Amino acid sequence: MDKTYKSKRVVLWLGLVLIAALTILSIYGAFVGAARARSFFNSVPLILYWFVFLIVLVLGIGVFPRLVRTPSLLLIHAGCVVVLVGSMWASHRGHAIRNELLGTDKIPQGSMQIYEGGSEKHVVLDGTGEIKELPFSIRLKDFGIEYYQPGYLIVQSRNGKTWRIPAKVGTRLQLAPDLMTVEIVRKFENFKITLEQGKHQVIDQPGGGSNPALEIRVDHSSGSAATRYVFERFAGHPHPGDEFQFIYQRMAREYTSRVEVLRDGRVVAQKNIEVNHPLHYAGYHFYQNSYGSEAGWYTVLGVVSDRGLYIVYAGYAMLCVGVFWLLWFRELLSAKHRVTNR
Amino acid sequence: MEIKYTTQGLLIYVAMAAYLAAFVMTLARLRKAGRHLYFSAFILACVALGYRGYVVRHVPMQNLFEVFLCMGALVYPISIFCRRVLRVSGVTADMLIGAIVLFPAGFAFSDQPQHLPPALQCWLFTPHVAVYVLAYVFMAKAAYQGLCQLADIKPRQNMLEPEQATYRMIRAGFPLLTLGLILGSIWGKIAWGDYWGWDPKESFSLASWLVYVGYFHFRYMFGKKHARLNSIWALLGLAVIIVTLFWVNLSQLFAGLHSYAT
């Protein structure tokens, strides 16, 4: 057995063992959840694993001349190398090392909370909670949520039966011939109770907050009637004596943060940040992550560095082109392989 | 398990019945009738899918109900493509597979229309899901060929031996599996800021991709020397795919970013 053949076998076996190990580790990662899996795959033993994987891939390209001679195979294996290198470059540790060596201060990943009309340049780092400053600030002009219309009133009986009633004023539904009738009487965007002349009054107060609710009238088959308020944010407990639970459900179509990027007091960029439409500016991506309306509307933007991203994408492109070239165009659809089988 | 007394349900049940009737006819050697029924089942599955799209007003690939409906419509064209172009047999089994993949849509999952959440309103939604659905059908056919190899079932004349057919099916499905993984990763970056977040669904998708990577390397090392192990590898791949598709979404064990896909 010559030496080259032996080294090829060793590299192949090593590759197979590493692939099997990563398969098992991925399944383990799925069981522990994303947060723990992320820290597991970035732990020191796993960093060693990634380096060994990288070395075996490079060794494979070195000892198998076919991998170099066949462009599709080279693209696949080199693509994996590029993805691994790009991921290492983009990782939190990669950022830390480069910041240390090059004296830069790039934020790997964090979030920022901005109130409507306000601007912010501080980012809370994920994991550590450390606060860092961007070289520019983001101003939130306004934040809005667009909902699918009309929303639904969900009625659940104690035995698990469910009815969905479109939340349109005037809609009536008798749940069953011997059961009650439910009618949507009023819709509120911002439900409030005021005290006027010693009387409690329910009002829909425009602006300055959000408390979506429905007023419903329940006519029981016995002839009695009652008014109930159902809140979107505070899924109600059944009223004492009620046999049904009411839930007001609306589904968001879009969350939009209208922002401006300010540098030295000047607006240098504008964008409506939505889910799937992040802002890309100065090496960072800004994502619509969350929102809130306590003490006024605010948005929470995810801030992610774009370092290493295009290296990873280049690796993806190489891998994808290589796989299709090799398995579809070179082998599967070639005339040669239709008549002969290996 | 629920029976759907709706137009959607009726279309699914009729398509299932047509797939099953095609299967029975072919087994009974009434091949011509079987072929006609198979084609009818495909048309009915397409109508069921189109009707779903009309009702929900988006490409019907949002949840498992729609994904299985989609698979039901894809079985026929893939089956014909495999037989005519790739010389992989198994058309009779595909008729049964057509009924099997429609079963969850017909009885297990709710057909309640759902709005698209903001995260799914992306141009990558359709290609990402579509290539995965295609890949899964190819891999299911690969596993079936693996079973044939293990059970020593001979193919019809001019068709590939089961071991070679398994290999060919995996070669057809693997690029799609790779593309699905990559498109999902790019979408994850656009929507959530991470091209890889170790979400349970991502982890299992990676595991299923790696099983086939392992298959290729193993087959490269040993060729057809361990044909039974090659077939077992293909079956293992399908098992991991089934977990990725079903269990990760349905089990409480795996709370993650893909929970809307149930």
Side-chain angles (χ1 to χ4, degrees):
Chain A
M1 197 183 289
D2 69 71
K3 214 172 164 185
T4 322
Y5 177 78
K6 223 173 171 179
S7 56
K8 279 182 180 177
R9 298 300 285 184
V10 169
V11 171
L12 263 175
W13 270 112
L14 259 174
L16 205 56
V17 168
L18 289 170
I19 290 163
L22 187 55
T23 311
I24 294 163
L25 292 173
S26 298
I27 292 171
Y28 165 76
F31 276 90
V32 300
R36 281 179 63 191
R38 196 178 293 122
S39 56
F40 171 70
F41 282 101
N42 285 293
S43 62
V44 175
L46 266 292
I47 290 171
L48 280 176
Y49 170 87
W50 294 124
F51 272 107
V52 172
F53 205 139
L54 196 60
I55 290 164
V56 170
L57 268 167
V58 174
L59 273 178
I61 295 169
V63 297
F64 285 91
R66 191 177 163 222
L67 288 188
V68 182
R69 279 201 311 266
T70 314
S72 52
L73 279 171
L74 181 63
L75 276 171
I76 293 169
H77 291 83
C80 291
V81 171
V82 172
V83 169
L84 279 175
V85 169
S87 307
M88 289 172 176
W89 188 254
S91 68
H92 285 221
R93 277 200 172 80
H95 271 80
I97 291 167
R98 273 195 325 281
N99 285 349
E100 192 69 38
L101 293 177
L102 306 174
T104 55
D105 193 22
K106 189 139 190 193
I107 298 163
Q109 195 162 5
S111 61
M112 58 200 304
Q113 181 175 323
I114 319 169
Y115 278 88
E116 268 185 341
S119 59
E120 187 58 80
K121 58 165 44 176
H122 296 99
V123 178
V124 181
L125 266 60
D126 287 357
T128 61
E130 193 186 340
I131 294 173
K132 292 231 173 183
E133 208 172 272
L134 290 169
F136 51 88
S137 54
I138 307 280
R139 192 166 84 85
L140 178 65
K141 287 160 75 180
D142 63 80
F143 174 80
I145 308 173
E146 191 188 332
Y147 289 95
Y148 285 106
Q149 292 301 332
Y152 289 94
L153 172 71
I154 313 287
V155 184
Q156 286 177 338
S157 71
R158 288 188 194 277
N159 61 16
K161 196 158 169 40
T162 302
W163 293 265
R164 266 160 65 99
I165 306 169
K168 277 184 191 162
V169 173
T171 309
R172 275 173 72 86
L173 183 78
Q174 186 169 18
L175 303 188
D178 55 337
L179 288 177
M180 63 186 188
T181 301
V182 177
E183 182 183 354
I184 315 276
V185 177
R186 203 172 161 193
K187 277 176 90 168
F188 301 87
E189 280 304 317
N190 190 22
F191 179 97
K192 291 273 184 259
I193 297 176
T194 58
L195 191 62
E196 281 180 24
Q197 296 168 346
K199 273 189 171 180
H200 288 290
Q201 286 221 326
V202 171
I203 59 158
D204 193 1
Q205 193 175 68
S210 169
N211 185 18
L214 291 177
E215 181 181 315
I216 59 169
R217 181 185 158 91
V218 181
D219 292 309
H220 293 278
S221 51
S222 61
S224 62
T227 296
R228 296 276 179 271
Y229 293 98
V230 188
F231 299 92
E232 186 193 21
R233 288 190 181 179
F234 313 103
H237 300 287
H239 199 272
D242 274 1
E243 289 179 25
F244 296 88
Q245 185 174 14
F246 300 102
I247 299 162
Y248 180 27
Q249 208 173 63
R250 293 193 301 170
M251 191 172 162
R253 184 198 287 269
E254 200 52 86
Y255 307 99
T256 309
S257 296
R258 278 170 277 275
V259 301
E260 289 173 340
V261 181
L262 304 170
R263 223 184 240 275
D264 306 323
R266 282 189 311 112
V267 176
V268 288
Q270 295 189 59
K271 170 98 181 172
N272 290 349
I273 301 177
E274 296 174 346
V275 180
N276 285 313
H277 298 281
L279 161 71
H280 188 214
Y281 181 78
Y284 291 100
H285 281 101
F286 296 85
Y287 295 88
Q288 181 59 56
N289 267 11
S290 187
Y291 69 95
S293 64
E294 303 87 42
W297 283 101
Y298 64 86
T299 189
V300 180
L301 300 180
V303 184
V304 185
S305 156
D306 68 356
R307 265 190 191 160
L309 178 66
Y310 300 106
I311 302 175
V312 172
Y313 281 2
Y316 283 170
M318 290 164 72
L319 178 61
C320 218
V321 169
V323 164
F324 274 93
W325 187 354
L326 179 73
L327 299 178
W328 273 28
F329 301 111
R330 189 169 170 266
E331 294 190 0
L332 209 59
L333 299 179
S334 68
K336 184 185 161 196
H337 276 263
R338 285 195 205 164
V339 288
T340 60
N341 299 299
R342 279 190 294 130
Chain B
M1 187 151 136
E2 60 163 41
I3 297 171
K4 295 177 174 66
Y5 299 101
T6 56
T7 309
Q8 183 74 73
L10 181 73
L11 285 167
I12 295 169
Y13 299 141
V14 176
M16 280 177 74
Y19 272 128
L20 283 173
F23 178 66
V24 172
M25 289 289 184
T26 311
L27 283 186
R29 299 196 178 279
L30 298 165
R31 292 190 189 282
K32 200 173 175 187
R35 274 204 306 272
H36 288 312
L37 276 165
Y38 192 23
F39 183 69
S40 310
F42 162 64
I43 297 294
L44 284 162
C46 286
V47 172
L49 187 68
Y51 178 76
R52 178 66 178 180
Y54 170 74
V55 169
V56 295
R57 307 287 166 140
H58 57 73
V59 180
M61 291 180 181
Q62 181 183 3
N63 47 38
L64 288 177
F65 170 79
E66 291 170 4
V67 163
F68 279 102
L69 205 54
C70 213
M71 278 187 192
L74 280 174
V75 166
Y76 178 85
I78 290 179
S79 174
I80 299 301
F81 172 76
C82 289
R83 186 166 64 88
R84 292 192 183 166
V85 180
L86 305 179
R87 295 201 293 119
V88 173
S89 61
V91 172
T92 313
D94 292 341
M95 295 169 183
L96 187 61
I97 290 174
I100 290 171
V101 296
L102 283 177
F103 184 86
F107 297 101
F109 299 114
S110 165
D111 64 348
Q112 185 78 53
Q114 291 171 5
H115 294 301
L116 275 187
L120 295 189
Q121 293 167 33
C122 179
W123 65 272
L124 285 163
F125 166 53
T126 305
H128 169 63
V129 183
V131 290
Y132 260 126
V133 172
L134 273 168
Y136 288 172
V137 177
F138 276 115
M139 293 318 190
K141 279 184 71 70
Y144 170 73
Q145 293 297 332
L147 267 180
C148 289
Q149 194 276 325
L150 291 172
D152 206 19
I153 296 169
K154 297 286 173 212
R156 290 173 61 192
Q157 214 180 359
N158 295 328
M159 293 291 155
L160 290 177
E161 288 295 321
E163 198 282 331
Q164 292 163 340
T166 307
Y167 182 45
R168 192 162 275 194
M169 285 295 89
I170 293 177
R171 281 190 339 212
F174 186 75
L176 295 168
L177 212 57
T178 309
L179 185 61
L181 196 68
I182 287 173
L183 290 178
S185 172
I186 294 170
W187 189 4
K189 177 67 192 168
I190 293 171
W192 301 317
D194 264 332
Y195 51 79
W196 199 261
W198 296 106
D199 178 71
K201 187 98 171 173
E202 289 174 6
S203 299
F204 257 110
S205 302
L206 178 65
S208 50
W209 187 78
L210 286 166
V211 168
Y212 292 106
V213 172
Y215 169 87
F216 281 120
H217 285 81
F218 186 77
R219 201 178 182 281
Y220 174 76
M221 285 166 80
F222 299 106
K224 287 185 262 180
K225 192 174 159 193
H226 303 295
R228 294 178 78 79
L229 277 179
N230 291 346
S231 302
I232 290 168
W233 213 299
L235 286 167
L236 181 70
L238 184 68
V240 182
I241 282 175
I242 289 170
V243 174
T244 311
L245 188 59
F246 267 115
W247 195 31
V248 174
N249 283 96
L250 301 179
S251 169
Q252 297 298 315
L253 275 173
F254 305 105
L257 293 165
H258 288 79
S259 52
Y260 50 73
T262 49

